[in-house]
Amino acid sequence: MNAPTSRREFMKTTGALVVSLSTPTWVDDAIAQSGKPALVPTELDSWIAVLPDGTVNVFFGKMDMGQGLDIAVAQIVAEELDVAFEKVQVVMGDTATSCNQGGASGSTGVSNGARLLRRAAAEARRVLVESAAQKLGVPASDLHVVDGTVFAKTATSKKVSYADLIGGRHFHHKVEWNKANGNAMDIKVPAKPKATDEYKVVGKPLARRDIAWKVFGTDDYVTDVRVKDMVHARVIRPPRAAGKVRGVDESSIKSIRGARVVREKDFVAVVAPREWDAVRAAQMLKVDWHAPEGAFPEMAKLYDHIRAAKVVKREDPVKRGDVSSSFSKAFKVIEAQYEWPFQSHASMGPACAVADVQADACTVWTGSQKPHFVRDGVARLLGLPQDKVRAIWITGPGSYGRNDAGDAALDAAFLSRIIGKPVRVQGMRADGTAWDPKAPACVHRARAALDASGRVVAYEFVSKGFSRQHIATNESDPADSLVGQAIGVPPKGTQIFGTPAESYGFENKLLAWETIAPLVDSCSPLRTGHLRDPVGLEIHFGSEQFIDEVAAAASEDPVAFRLKYLTNPRHQAVVKAVAEKAGWPSLPKGKGIAFAERNGTAVAVIAQVEVNRASGRLWARKIWVAHDCGLVINPLQLRTTIEGNVVQGLSRTLFEQVRFDRDSVKSVDWASYPILEMQDAPEAIEVVLIDRPEIAPTGAGEPTIRVIPGAVANALFDATGVRIRTAPLDPERVKAALSRT
């Protein structure tokens, strides 16, 4: 890959480009010549461009992680503009062409991100139709649009295309902005978007556009980026948590031609003209590390540590009725505890980034799902103005939360400034698995009180664990990066966890969470951060198992029990739909159900499992999903997104846990951190989509994954009579549990 194309060159080939007045110096002259408004949310040109040939560029401040988000956005824009879907191209993940909509996060790609594009497209259509009215001498109310051409309703010979009206030029039209960045960004426009009964493109199962190049290898991943005069780097992480550098023997790599050492306080790296030389230098370099003894508890005592640890923060988001009094008067009390381990992102490959730092500007190519925040973090780390840094998203080896991509980007920028050349940073497998941010380990305490008739009169569920934001959700602050912490930037951290998302109408109810201090405050391989559906799996592994345990204590069927106590009609509907689809309760032994909501999306899952008592292997043979996320934009992409949730959820339920000793993480490869393989995938995944056109889309990237653990654990109990309350449900744990029966 070559250095970034200049804006002048891009405009020659496309006719239009959204760029910012706050851009690096390589495009400053093009701004004046093009007359392009600043890249700010108040400009319609920051969202939509019509090219000379009538095609449409949409500038999206998020990115797609292989779930077809760009297709959904293109459908929404095509619908509102009245152009063919094939004419819409979604330009995303480049800070020079899009506003900061928060990157990919929180299943907000359609619910938050595409909402702005819908409004922008509707407003662009309104402006274009008014322009056509003036050009044709026909009232706007007497015009209609067909595939980007505006026609007079009563005189079809009177027509003008979008390309003729504005192709290759700018709207210079203002929209209203709420002054927020990230996921909270929103705009308002005079135009009224279409009613759902007018949709012709939205709702169609259109295919993704990225499959072919990924199959045939015809486009680049971030690992393929090459820049002139680039050198390769490897960052040397300490062998033990919170390691400090006492000395570096640079002569230990003198035999490697062109290799050199970069050290800044406790940050150590090697660079070389060839990648293999950088790898060899990293292996050969002698570093004198000093680290505290016993930074971590014994892995076998992790949950005891969590239970005994002092609570740093507690919140009670749901507190209804008199829980304590109800328990004291109960006819029967059910109690249980559930445990969830640290988990890694386990991306397909370790992170990679390329940075080119010039005297007063920087370009960084990154696989991070939040490139705008990479820009902000690099700017802060280098002491550059934000408008002098450009981050370009290129498809990476994995995402789904705050993985190691942000660290790689900041590492590369830091090294490029010191070296004075473009630097490519890539870790080894062990760097990715051992040092990526981890999903937090936790313990959940649950109890319920029944009266003599079996009615639930009190319910309590309290989660306790490490904060899910020991490092922030994005890379915008060097304090949340390994390089920042290694050079002495003190970490900040946020104390936050979560509670079950459901509508069980127990009259006396307490849902609470508690967080504890991190094991190591800085430069820790067990630093915790967001992994797909942050703490959703952990919490509902416990809460949905406990709902089954309470149902059993009340002598009620698990489905009937949920329907009895769920108060939200949409929640009841998905439980009914999945039960009907799976044929509950006539399914044979080995069935389990779980339900949850996530940010307005309701999901219920039934799992059918088989258990090999001799080996302990638990196979989720079949999965049924009922899914309600409001309006369905693209049923094909929605189904595949749900299937991806199921598979990753099974992997985390059945196999994944970070192994560690008293000083370091020992999960460094696919042997020590196994994930689900082909033979463990379900035989079938059947999905029921509940389309609600009257409800705005509420997201699908994460809701399904949170109910997989509970459904599988409940199915395991139904198959064997053994309740396993500690994840993962791997063969070793299952076999041991069965041996005790």
Side-chain angles (χ1 to χ4, degrees):
M1 179 176 288
N2 296 322
T5 303
S6 73
R7 208 166 60 165
R8 186 198 304 268
E9 293 168 340
F10 189 87
M11 291 182 66
K12 286 179 180 178
T13 59
T14 65
L17 174 66
V18 170
V19 289
S20 171
L21 286 174
S22 300
T23 53
T25 53
W26 58 74
V27 294
D28 284 347
D29 62 335
I31 294 173
Q33 295 183 35
S34 69
K36 172 69 182 71
L39 177 57
V40 289
T42 53
E43 293 287 347
L44 184 58
D45 291 297
S46 295
W47 305 102
I48 299 282
V50 179
L51 307 189
D53 63 358
T55 58
V56 176
N57 275 356
V58 181
F59 303 103
F60 192 40
K62 291 183 177 290
M63 42 72 72
D64 175 58
M65 295 184 288
Q67 299 179 87
L69 174 58
D70 56 326
I71 301 304
V73 170
Q75 286 180 257
I76 289 168
V77 170
E79 189 71 75
E80 295 299 335
L81 270 176
D82 280 320
V83 299
F85 165 78
E86 293 76 16
K87 289 184 177 180
V88 179
Q89 297 296 323
V90 180
V91 182
M92 55 187 171
D94 188 335
T95 62
T97 63
S98 61
C99 299
N100 181 4
Q101 291 184 265
S105 62
S107 301
T108 59
V110 171
S111 59
N112 284 26
R115 180 182 66 231
L116 279 70
L117 273 302
R118 182 187 187 212
R119 291 173 180 169
E123 182 67 359
R125 183 189 186 280
R126 185 188 71 82
V127 170
L128 289 167
V129 169
E130 288 188 355
S131 177
Q134 294 179 4
K135 190 176 185 68
L136 299 176
V138 177
S141 59
D142 291 338
L143 298 174
H144 72 290
V145 184
V146 178
D147 192 15
T149 297
V150 186
F151 291 88
K153 294 177 181 177
T154 56
T156 56
S157 60
K158 288 189 173 184
K159 61 181 180 179
V160 62
S161 70
Y162 287 169
D164 291 335
L165 288 168
I166 200 173
R169 298 182 298 279
H170 306 300
F171 286 97
H172 292 292
H173 180 78
K174 298 290 184 182
V175 300
E176 184 180 343
W177 174 40
N178 68 348
K179 308 299 182 184
N181 285 304
N183 284 331
M185 180 180 284
D186 205 357
I187 61 171
K188 291 182 180 180
V189 298
K192 183 179 179 181
K194 288 183 181 179
T196 55
D197 59 7
E198 299 179 82
Y199 284 170
K200 299 175 183 178
V201 183
V202 168
K204 287 187 175 181
L206 301 177
R208 282 164 49 183
R209 295 166 170 169
D210 61 340
I211 300 298
W213 79 257
K214 289 178 178 177
V215 171
F216 296 109
T218 53
D219 208 341
D220 290 335
Y221 286 92
V222 69
T223 47
D224 300 312
V225 173
R226 297 293 184 271
V227 177
K228 184 180 179 182
D229 298 326
M230 180 184 79
V231 296
H232 297 268
R234 287 292 189 275
V235 178
I236 318 297
R237 307 295 184 201
R240 292 155 58 189
K244 301 289 185 180
V245 179
R246 289 193 292 201
V248 178
D249 180 6
E250 297 190 22
S251 67
S252 60
I253 63 168
K254 65 181 181 180
S255 62
I256 302 175
R257 185 176 179 181
R260 60 172 287 192
V261 176
V262 176
R263 178 193 171 187
E264 179 70 24
K265 297 183 179 178
D266 296 315
F267 178 82
V268 181
V270 292
V271 296
R274 299 190 308 169
E275 184 176 15
W276 179 237
D277 288 338
V279 172
R280 290 197 303 131
Q283 294 170 343
M284 294 170 58
L285 183 67
K286 294 180 180 179
V287 183
D288 183 9
W289 292 99
H290 171 72
E293 296 286 342
F296 303 148
E298 293 180 27
M299 184 176 170
K301 297 180 180 179
L302 171 63
Y303 302 118
D304 292 337
H305 170 87
I306 294 173
R307 290 185 182 92
K310 179 182 178 181
V311 173
V312 175
K313 185 176 181 179
R314 176 183 168 116
E315 288 193 2
D316 302 354
V318 175
K319 195 173 185 179
R320 183 168 64 238
D322 190 341
V323 174
S324 298
S325 176
S326 299
F327 272 106
S328 67
K329 301 173 184 177
F331 175 77
K332 185 178 184 179
V333 174
I334 305 97
E335 295 184 273
Q337 293 197 22
Y338 306 89
E339 301 166 337
W340 191 272
F342 290 109
Q343 291 186 327
S344 166
H345 287 79
S347 299
M348 287 194 299
C352 178
V354 177
D356 183 7
V357 179
Q358 303 293 326
D360 62 349
C362 172
T363 306
V364 57
W365 293 262
T366 175
S368 168
Q369 66 186 50
K370 299 182 179 180
H372 285 84
F373 292 119
V374 167
R375 174 200 64 190
D376 299 349
V378 167
R380 288 190 175 106
L381 180 67
L382 303 184
L384 288 173
Q386 190 182 92
D387 61 351
K388 297 298 183 182
V389 179
R390 178 185 183 184
I392 303 170
W393 170 74
I394 308 288
T395 304
S399 202
Y400 299 122
R402 176 75 193 276
N403 69 351
D404 51 341
D407 286 304
L410 268 66
D411 287 343
F414 186 72
L415 288 166
S416 179
R417 181 181 64 177
I418 294 172
I419 296 297
K421 291 183 177 182
V423 173
R424 177 181 181 272
V425 166
Q426 180 176 325
M428 306 297 281
R429 174 75 266 163
D431 296 312
T433 312
W435 281 94
D436 70 344
K438 307 297 189 291
C442 45
V443 173
H444 311 278
R445 311 186 303 270
R447 60 178 184 152
L450 305 181
D451 65 13
S453 68
R455 184 174 64 94
V456 179
V457 294
Y459 181 88
E460 181 178 277
F461 192 91
V462 181
S463 299
K464 183 180 183 183
F466 300 97
S467 171
R468 62 184 170 94
Q469 289 186 31
H470 181 202
I471 63 165
T473 62
N474 61 67
E475 307 88 349
S476 61
D477 192 330
D480 296 308
S481 71
L482 288 173
V483 62
Q485 293 178 10
I487 64 175
V489 181
K492 297 177 180 177
T494 300
Q495 294 298 320
I496 185 172
F497 204 82
T499 56
E502 32 83 344
S503 65
Y504 296 119
F506 308 128
E507 56 184 307
N508 301 290
K509 184 176 182 180
L510 174 67
L511 304 180
W513 58 260
E514 300 168 339
T515 55
I516 64 175
L519 296 173
V520 174
D521 196 44
S522 184
C523 295
S524 173
L526 286 178
R527 59 199 173 124
T528 52
H530 278 186
L531 175 56
R532 191 178 196 176
D533 188 26
V535 301
L537 288 81
E538 296 91 316
I539 292 170
H540 295 91
F541 172 72
S543 66
E544 282 298 295
Q545 277 203 82
F546 191 60
I547 289 294
D548 260 36
E549 296 198 50
V550 178
S555 300
E556 295 193 44
D557 173 82
V559 170
F561 183 84
R562 285 172 171 81
L563 292 174
K564 178 179 179 179
Y565 286 101
L566 286 170
T567 59
N568 186 316
R570 289 176 67 191
H571 297 178
Q572 294 174 337
V574 292
V575 172
K576 290 177 181 177
V578 78
E580 180 180 348
K581 183 69 174 179
W584 186 288
S586 61
L587 283 172
K589 281 284 186 179
K591 63 182 180 294
I593 185 170
F595 158 81
E597 182 195 54
R598 191 182 197 283
N599 294 344
T601 294
V603 182
V605 164
I606 289 175
Q608 183 181 32
V609 306
E610 293 182 3
V611 183
N612 186 317
R613 288 182 172 268
S615 67
R617 177 178 182 258
L618 170 59
W619 178 37
R621 179 174 185 172
K622 195 167 184 178
I623 302 289
W624 293 268
V625 182
H627 194 281
D628 174 2
C629 61
L631 171 68
V632 174
I633 305 298
N634 185 317
L636 173 62
Q637 303 311 325
L638 178 54
R639 287 178 185 276
T640 56
T641 295
I642 291 168
E643 290 171 1
N645 272 270
V646 170
V647 172
Q648 189 176 16
L650 288 173
S651 182
R652 292 177 64 184
T653 303
L654 300 177
F655 299 104
E656 297 185 36
Q657 66 175 328
V658 174
R659 298 186 180 277
F660 58 92
D661 62 15
R662 299 301 306 280
D663 302 300
S664 61
V665 165
K666 296 302 179 186
S667 294
V668 295
D669 52 30
W670 300 124
S672 52
Y673 193 86
I675 62 173
L676 180 139
E677 298 181 3
M678 191 67 73
Q679 69 270 17
D680 300 302
E683 170 181 283
I685 301 172
E686 296 190 14
V687 179
V688 179
L689 299 180
I690 301 177
D691 187 14
R692 298 188 184 274
E694 74 281 6
I695 298 174
T698 49
E702 297 168 284
T704 302
I705 196 172
R706 67 172 37 187
V707 287
I708 297 300
V712 171
N714 288 333
L716 170 64
F717 176 78
D718 187 60
T720 64
V722 174
R723 177 70 65 182
I724 300 181
R725 300 184 179 91
T726 300
L729 308 178
D730 58 18
E732 180 182 4
R733 179 167 284 122
V734 171
K735 187 175 180 179
L738 294 176
S739 70
R740 294 191 290 269
T741 61

